[in-house]
Amino acid sequence: MATASSSHPVWKSNSDLGYAIEQTQEWRQPRVDGVGRPKFDSTQVTPEQLRHLESQKDGVHVLDLRTNATAFLELSALVAAAELDSRPRSVAGGDARKGAECHRHVFHVKWNAKGTRLLVVVRARGHGCPRGDANHALTVNPDGADVKVVATWLRDGNHPNWLEDGRLSMNYEGKVCAFDDVEGASCQVLSERASGHPVGVPGRGDLVVTDTYAKEHAAFGLEAGEAALRVLSGGDREAWLGVFPVAAFGTMPTDVWRCDAHPAFDLKGRRLALNVWVRGSRRVAITDEIDWDALLKRRDLWFS
């Protein structure tokens, strides 16, 4: 049996386990508290550090797990193909700023359901970026062709993900939106209230599940320390799968000890794994099998 290896940590494999993707992130930055992701604060980085970061070849490695061959999608090539430096775009969350420094890095990368397209989130930080501190959801073929800028946002957006039908889902301008995989796509509203980490239900193209952040408890009528799992069926219709502890009851976690439920489905879309807070520590919980047909028939569970 052949074994594939790489010098970079694997980020995600595609659905048939034939390919993996990896983020370079050679540069070192402070991590987002409680999550571990790199964060970039342009106000805390000197021009010399920016020049050093720009000298690092950031991008995405696509590893063929059968042949051990690796292709590298360099960030600079993606930026050039997407024309991020030259074309103005509508941006959610604020106005562009002026200045000298601009640094971009790959923040997130995911396969679509068919393993034919990649979602690459590129973050731009620095007063010299054409659109200010912008975030771009790019989609691209594994060979680097057909780059599209599906959505761009400043502050009012997060957690883009693939839906099974080839669209993207994410929180955007206070809503949960779906976007077609096209240049400059428009928001198709899945819910008028954004929250948590939206994820499509495998095998059920009509449903999306998302959690709520601990800090969002009041907006959803929850106690401090609680989070809900929301089932979205388009527009303003939703049901809840349950309420779960994500902090000591009656408290909100600090960012250092935050516990995002971050729901994830099994391949059949019948069970959910989520993070919960149990006796002062984070745990992973797995739900019983969910009968979606029965849930959809329970009109008493759905509300607007």
Side-chain angles (χ1 to χ4, degrees):
M1 177 175 149
T3 301
S5 62
S6 174
S7 59
H8 302 280
V10 170
W11 188 255
K12 181 76 172 178
S13 295
N14 68 345
S15 55
D16 67 3
L17 301 181
Y19 293 87
I21 43 179
E22 305 152 338
Q23 293 178 226
T24 304
Q25 292 183 345
E26 298 285 354
W27 49 277
R28 294 291 177 261
Q29 281 291 304
R31 306 285 147 172
V32 176
D33 289 337
V35 178
R37 287 191 178 284
K39 66 179 178 180
F40 189 90
D41 183 352
S42 59
T43 65
Q44 302 297 317
V45 180
T46 67
E48 290 76 16
Q49 289 172 312
L50 275 170
R51 284 192 288 272
H52 171 71
L53 295 177
E54 292 293 354
S55 71
Q56 309 303 303
K57 286 192 174 183
D58 196 359
V60 179
H61 294 264
V62 181
L63 171 65
D64 188 327
L65 297 172
R66 291 162 289 213
T67 67
N68 213 27
T70 300
F72 182 52
L73 308 183
E74 190 169 343
L75 175 59
S76 60
L78 295 177
V79 168
E83 300 180 348
L84 294 184
D85 280 326
S86 57
R87 283 190 290 175
R89 304 186 183 282
S90 59
V91 177
D95 298 323
R97 299 180 303 172
K98 295 181 179 180
E101 301 84 22
C102 181
H103 170 73
R104 294 185 178 93
H105 61 272
V106 174
F107 182 70
H108 203 46
V109 59
K110 287 187 176 181
W111 290 104
N112 68 354
K114 295 180 179 179
T116 56
R117 296 280 284 170
L118 291 168
L119 163 65
V120 181
V121 177
V122 175
R123 282 189 161 183
R125 295 294 183 265
H127 290 279
C129 298
R131 305 301 298 173
D133 284 353
N135 309 276
H136 308 281
L138 310 184
T139 57
V140 59
N141 291 344
D143 62 358
D146 195 18
V147 178
K148 294 182 174 68
V149 184
V150 176
T152 295
W153 66 98
L154 292 186
R155 302 171 189 86
D156 296 337
N158 56 39
H159 296 298
N161 208 339
W162 287 105
L163 296 174
E164 201 170 46
D165 62 9
R167 294 181 298 167
L168 301 182
S169 65
M170 66 176 290
N171 296 312
Y172 187 85
E173 293 191 297
K175 300 176 176 64
V176 181
C177 294
F179 294 91
D180 290 330
D181 183 10
V182 297
E183 182 78 21
S186 299
C187 166
Q188 303 161 34
V189 178
L190 302 178
S191 173
E192 294 289 346
R193 297 193 297 174
S195 76
H197 308 76
V199 58
V201 180
R204 302 298 305 238
D206 54 336
L207 298 176
V208 168
V209 168
T210 190
D211 54 332
T212 60
Y213 282 118
K215 66 184 179 182
E216 297 170 332
H217 69 279
F220 288 91
L222 299 167
E223 297 287 343
E226 291 181 333
L229 280 182
R230 308 168 59 205
V231 185
L232 312 178
S233 185
D236 58 356
R237 190 166 176 260
E238 69 176 84
W240 285 10
L241 288 177
V243 175
F244 302 87
V246 289
F249 184 74
T251 71
M252 283 185 60
T254 65
D255 271 349
V256 175
W257 297 109
R258 63 190 282 185
C259 179
D260 298 347
H262 218 308
F265 278 100
D266 66 355
L267 293 177
K268 295 181 179 179
R270 302 299 294 270
R271 292 178 182 269
L272 269 171
L274 64 150
N275 300 315
V276 295
W277 185 269
V278 180
R279 292 187 292 275
S281 63
R282 300 184 188 96
R283 305 288 179 89
V284 176
I286 300 175
T287 67
D288 294 333
E289 284 205 356
I290 302 168
D291 186 336
W292 294 109
D293 291 327
L295 181 69
L296 288 170
K297 292 176 182 176
R298 288 280 306 275
R299 294 185 178 181
D300 58 307
L301 295 179
W302 293 86
F303 61 93
S304 298

PDB file of all heavy atoms in Angstrom, residues 38-57:
ATOM      1  N   PRO A  38      -4.384  31.783  12.731  1.00  0.00           N
ATOM      2  CA  PRO A  38      -3.584  33.005  12.704  1.00  0.00           C
ATOM      3  C   PRO A  38      -4.484  34.227  12.609  1.00  0.00           C
ATOM      4  O   PRO A  38      -5.511  34.195  11.958  1.00  0.00           O
ATOM      5  CB  PRO A  38      -2.762  32.851  11.410  1.00  0.00           C
ATOM      6  CG  PRO A  38      -2.831  31.414  11.066  1.00  0.00           C
ATOM      7  CD  PRO A  38      -4.136  30.927  11.592  1.00  0.00           C
ATOM      8  N   LYS A  39      -4.104  35.263  13.311  1.00  0.00           N
ATOM      9  CA  LYS A  39      -4.804  36.531  13.138  1.00  0.00           C
ATOM     10  C   LYS A  39      -3.776  37.564  12.724  1.00  0.00           C
ATOM     11  O   LYS A  39      -2.600  37.461  13.053  1.00  0.00           O
ATOM     12  CB  LYS A  39      -5.519  36.960  14.413  1.00  0.00           C
ATOM     13  CG  LYS A  39      -4.611  37.299  15.586  1.00  0.00           C
ATOM     14  CD  LYS A  39      -5.453  37.732  16.785  1.00  0.00           C
ATOM     15  CE  LYS A  39      -4.578  38.041  17.988  1.00  0.00           C
ATOM     16  NZ  LYS A  39      -5.372  38.458  19.150  1.00  0.00           N
ATOM     17  N   PHE A  40      -4.209  38.560  12.000  1.00  0.00           N
ATOM     18  CA  PHE A  40      -3.275  39.553  11.472  1.00  0.00           C
ATOM     19  C   PHE A  40      -3.783  40.929  11.819  1.00  0.00           C
ATOM     20  O   PHE A  40      -4.866  41.326  11.403  1.00  0.00           O
ATOM     21  CB  PHE A  40      -3.133  39.409   9.955  1.00  0.00           C
ATOM     22  CG  PHE A  40      -2.017  40.258   9.394  1.00  0.00           C
ATOM     23  CD1 PHE A  40      -0.747  39.753   9.300  1.00  0.00           C
ATOM     24  CD2 PHE A  40      -2.255  41.559   8.990  1.00  0.00           C
ATOM     25  CE1 PHE A  40       0.287  40.534   8.796  1.00  0.00           C
ATOM     26  CE2 PHE A  40      -1.235  42.346   8.487  1.00  0.00           C
ATOM     27  CZ  PHE A  40       0.039  41.822   8.387  1.00  0.00           C
ATOM     28  N   ASP A  41      -3.017  41.648  12.605  1.00  0.00           N
ATOM     29  CA  ASP A  41      -3.358  43.003  12.993  1.00  0.00           C
ATOM     30  C   ASP A  41      -2.340  43.930  12.353  1.00  0.00           C
ATOM     31  O   ASP A  41      -1.192  44.018  12.790  1.00  0.00           O
ATOM     32  CB  ASP A  41      -3.335  43.134  14.520  1.00  0.00           C
ATOM     33  CG  ASP A  41      -3.751  44.526  14.993  1.00  0.00           C
ATOM     34  OD1 ASP A  41      -3.900  45.428  14.135  1.00  0.00           O
ATOM     35  OD2 ASP A  41      -3.920  44.715  16.206  1.00  0.00           O
ATOM     36  N   SER A  42      -2.764  44.616  11.277  1.00  0.00           N
ATOM     37  CA  SER A  42      -1.825  45.435  10.521  1.00  0.00           C
ATOM     38  C   SER A  42      -1.278  46.587  11.345  1.00  0.00           C
ATOM     39  O   SER A  42      -0.219  47.130  11.038  1.00  0.00           O
ATOM     40  CB  SER A  42      -2.505  45.973   9.263  1.00  0.00           C
ATOM     41  OG  SER A  42      -3.648  46.740   9.604  1.00  0.00           O
ATOM     42  N   THR A  43      -1.965  46.967  12.421  1.00  0.00           N
ATOM     43  CA  THR A  43      -1.489  48.080  13.237  1.00  0.00           C
ATOM     44  C   THR A  43      -0.339  47.654  14.142  1.00  0.00           C
ATOM     45  O   THR A  43       0.338  48.493  14.712  1.00  0.00           O
ATOM     46  CB  THR A  43      -2.628  48.643  14.114  1.00  0.00           C
ATOM     47  OG1 THR A  43      -3.034  47.636  15.064  1.00  0.00           O
ATOM     48  CG2 THR A  43      -3.814  49.040  13.253  1.00  0.00           C
ATOM     49  N   GLN A  44      -0.135  46.336  14.295  1.00  0.00           N
ATOM     50  CA  GLN A  44       0.903  45.832  15.184  1.00  0.00           C
ATOM     51  C   GLN A  44       2.119  45.297  14.426  1.00  0.00           C
ATOM     52  O   GLN A  44       3.006  44.712  15.035  1.00  0.00           O
ATOM     53  CB  GLN A  44       0.328  44.714  16.072  1.00  0.00           C
ATOM     54  CG  GLN A  44      -0.871  45.145  16.907  1.00  0.00           C
ATOM     55  CD  GLN A  44      -0.511  46.240  17.900  1.00  0.00           C
ATOM     56  OE1 GLN A  44       0.528  46.187  18.547  1.00  0.00           O
ATOM     57  NE2 GLN A  44      -1.375  47.245  17.999  1.00  0.00           N
ATOM     58  N   VAL A  45       2.153  45.466  13.107  1.00  0.00           N
ATOM     59  CA  VAL A  45       3.233  44.912  12.297  1.00  0.00           C
ATOM     60  C   VAL A  45       3.968  46.046  11.600  1.00  0.00           C
ATOM     61  O   VAL A  45       3.355  46.933  11.012  1.00  0.00           O
ATOM     62  CB  VAL A  45       2.679  43.921  11.250  1.00  0.00           C
ATOM     63  CG1 VAL A  45       3.809  43.346  10.413  1.00  0.00           C
ATOM     64  CG2 VAL A  45       1.918  42.802  11.948  1.00  0.00           C
ATOM     65  N   THR A  46       5.296  46.009  11.669  1.00  0.00           N
ATOM     66  CA  THR A  46       6.109  47.056  11.062  1.00  0.00           C
ATOM     67  C   THR A  46       6.237  46.818   9.558  1.00  0.00           C
ATOM     68  O   THR A  46       6.049  45.696   9.073  1.00  0.00           O
ATOM     69  CB  THR A  46       7.519  47.063  11.675  1.00  0.00           C
ATOM     70  OG1 THR A  46       8.191  45.848  11.297  1.00  0.00           O
ATOM     71  CG2 THR A  46       7.442  47.162  13.190  1.00  0.00           C
ATOM     72  N   PRO A  47       6.579  47.864   8.783  1.00  0.00           N
ATOM     73  CA  PRO A  47       6.808  47.676   7.341  1.00  0.00           C
ATOM     74  C   PRO A  47       7.869  46.615   7.053  1.00  0.00           C
ATOM     75  O   PRO A  47       7.761  45.871   6.073  1.00  0.00           O
ATOM     76  CB  PRO A  47       7.243  49.071   6.874  1.00  0.00           C
ATOM     77  CG  PRO A  47       6.598  50.010   7.849  1.00  0.00           C
ATOM     78  CD  PRO A  47       6.628  49.289   9.173  1.00  0.00           C
ATOM     79  N   GLU A  48       8.916  46.539   7.900  1.00  0.00           N
ATOM     80  CA  GLU A  48       9.956  45.525   7.700  1.00  0.00           C
ATOM     81  C   GLU A  48       9.382  44.123   7.855  1.00  0.00           C
ATOM     82  O   GLU A  48       9.698  43.210   7.084  1.00  0.00           O
ATOM     83  CB  GLU A  48      11.095  45.731   8.704  1.00  0.00           C
ATOM     84  CG  GLU A  48      11.928  46.978   8.458  1.00  0.00           C
ATOM     85  CD  GLU A  48      11.210  48.261   8.899  1.00  0.00           C
ATOM     86  OE1 GLU A  48      10.228  48.173   9.649  1.00  0.00           O
ATOM     87  OE2 GLU A  48      11.642  49.352   8.470  1.00  0.00           O
ATOM     88  N   GLN A  49       8.509  43.934   8.855  1.00  0.00           N
ATOM     89  CA  GLN A  49       7.888  42.631   9.026  1.00  0.00           C
ATOM     90  C   GLN A  49       6.966  42.302   7.865  1.00  0.00           C
ATOM     91  O   GLN A  49       6.900  41.159   7.416  1.00  0.00           O
ATOM     92  CB  GLN A  49       7.105  42.600  10.346  1.00  0.00           C
ATOM     93  CG  GLN A  49       7.993  42.580  11.587  1.00  0.00           C
ATOM     94  CD  GLN A  49       7.187  42.737  12.859  1.00  0.00           C
ATOM     95  OE1 GLN A  49       6.334  43.615  12.963  1.00  0.00           O
ATOM     96  NE2 GLN A  49       7.453  41.879  13.841  1.00  0.00           N
ATOM     97  N   LEU A  50       6.259  43.317   7.357  1.00  0.00           N
ATOM     98  CA  LEU A  50       5.397  43.096   6.205  1.00  0.00           C
ATOM     99  C   LEU A  50       6.204  42.635   4.997  1.00  0.00           C
ATOM    100  O   LEU A  50       5.816  41.698   4.293  1.00  0.00           O
ATOM    101  CB  LEU A  50       4.628  44.369   5.855  1.00  0.00           C
ATOM    102  CG  LEU A  50       3.326  44.620   6.615  1.00  0.00           C
ATOM    103  CD1 LEU A  50       2.833  46.030   6.333  1.00  0.00           C
ATOM    104  CD2 LEU A  50       2.276  43.601   6.220  1.00  0.00           C
ATOM    105  N   ARG A  51       7.364  43.285   4.760  1.00  0.00           N
ATOM    106  CA  ARG A  51       8.187  42.892   3.623  1.00  0.00           C
ATOM    107  C   ARG A  51       8.686  41.465   3.790  1.00  0.00           C
ATOM    108  O   ARG A  51       8.778  40.703   2.828  1.00  0.00           O
ATOM    109  CB  ARG A  51       9.354  43.870   3.464  1.00  0.00           C
ATOM    110  CG  ARG A  51       8.935  45.211   2.841  1.00  0.00           C
ATOM    111  CD  ARG A  51      10.131  46.034   2.437  1.00  0.00           C
ATOM    112  NE  ARG A  51      10.827  46.576   3.598  1.00  0.00           N
ATOM    113  CZ  ARG A  51      10.530  47.728   4.173  1.00  0.00           C
ATOM    114  NH1 ARG A  51       9.534  48.466   3.691  1.00  0.00           N
ATOM    115  NH2 ARG A  51      11.202  48.166   5.204  1.00  0.00           N
ATOM    116  N   HIS A  52       8.996  41.073   5.040  1.00  0.00           N
ATOM    117  CA  HIS A  52       9.425  39.691   5.280  1.00  0.00           C
ATOM    118  C   HIS A  52       8.285  38.723   5.000  1.00  0.00           C
ATOM    119  O   HIS A  52       8.478  37.671   4.371  1.00  0.00           O
ATOM    120  CB  HIS A  52       9.900  39.525   6.726  1.00  0.00           C
ATOM    121  CG  HIS A  52      10.152  38.092   7.095  1.00  0.00           C
ATOM    122  ND1 HIS A  52      11.218  37.368   6.606  1.00  0.00           N
ATOM    123  CD2 HIS A  52       9.444  37.232   7.896  1.00  0.00           C
ATOM    124  CE1 HIS A  52      11.174  36.134   7.085  1.00  0.00           C
ATOM    125  NE2 HIS A  52      10.115  36.031   7.861  1.00  0.00           N
ATOM    126  N   LEU A  53       7.086  39.067   5.450  1.00  0.00           N
ATOM    127  CA  LEU A  53       5.942  38.190   5.224  1.00  0.00           C
ATOM    128  C   LEU A  53       5.663  38.048   3.734  1.00  0.00           C
ATOM    129  O   LEU A  53       5.345  36.962   3.249  1.00  0.00           O
ATOM    130  CB  LEU A  53       4.702  38.743   5.944  1.00  0.00           C
ATOM    131  CG  LEU A  53       4.769  38.787   7.466  1.00  0.00           C
ATOM    132  CD1 LEU A  53       3.504  39.431   8.029  1.00  0.00           C
ATOM    133  CD2 LEU A  53       4.938  37.393   8.048  1.00  0.00           C
ATOM    134  N   GLU A  54       5.781  39.164   2.997  1.00  0.00           N
ATOM    135  CA  GLU A  54       5.505  39.105   1.573  1.00  0.00           C
ATOM    136  C   GLU A  54       6.529  38.247   0.834  1.00  0.00           C
ATOM    137  O   GLU A  54       6.254  37.751  -0.259  1.00  0.00           O
ATOM    138  CB  GLU A  54       5.495  40.525   0.987  1.00  0.00           C
ATOM    139  CG  GLU A  54       4.341  41.389   1.470  1.00  0.00           C
ATOM    140  CD  GLU A  54       2.986  40.908   0.976  1.00  0.00           C
ATOM    141  OE1 GLU A  54       2.956  39.975   0.161  1.00  0.00           O
ATOM    142  OE2 GLU A  54       1.972  41.449   1.417  1.00  0.00           O
ATOM    143  N   SER A  55       7.722  38.072   1.423  1.00  0.00           N
ATOM    144  CA  SER A  55       8.736  37.251   0.764  1.00  0.00           C
ATOM    145  C   SER A  55       8.453  35.762   0.913  1.00  0.00           C
ATOM    146  O   SER A  55       9.054  34.939   0.217  1.00  0.00           O
ATOM    147  CB  SER A  55      10.128  37.576   1.347  1.00  0.00           C
ATOM    148  OG  SER A  55      10.237  37.074   2.683  1.00  0.00           O
ATOM    149  N   GLN A  56       7.541  35.395   1.813  1.00  0.00           N
ATOM    150  CA  GLN A  56       7.192  33.997   2.007  1.00  0.00           C
ATOM    151  C   GLN A  56       6.167  33.580   0.949  1.00  0.00           C
ATOM    152  O   GLN A  56       5.241  34.327   0.655  1.00  0.00           O
ATOM    153  CB  GLN A  56       6.608  33.767   3.399  1.00  0.00           C
ATOM    154  CG  GLN A  56       7.444  34.322   4.528  1.00  0.00           C
ATOM    155  CD  GLN A  56       8.853  33.762   4.538  1.00  0.00           C
ATOM    156  OE1 GLN A  56       9.043  32.557   4.598  1.00  0.00           O
ATOM    157  NE2 GLN A  56       9.826  34.639   4.469  1.00  0.00           N
ATOM    158  N   LYS A  57       6.329  32.406   0.381  1.00  0.00           N
ATOM    159  CA  LYS A  57       5.411  31.939  -0.650  1.00  0.00           C
ATOM    160  C   LYS A  57       4.198  31.296  -0.003  1.00  0.00           C
ATOM    161  O   LYS A  57       4.199  30.113   0.323  1.00  0.00           O
ATOM    162  CB  LYS A  57       6.119  30.966  -1.588  1.00  0.00           C
ATOM    163  CG  LYS A  57       7.082  31.648  -2.547  1.00  0.00           C
ATOM    164  CD  LYS A  57       7.534  30.705  -3.643  1.00  0.00           C
ATOM    165  CE  LYS A  57       8.391  31.443  -4.675  1.00  0.00           C
ATOM    166  NZ  LYS A  57       8.790  30.556  -5.783  1.00  0.00           N
TER     167      LYS A  57
END
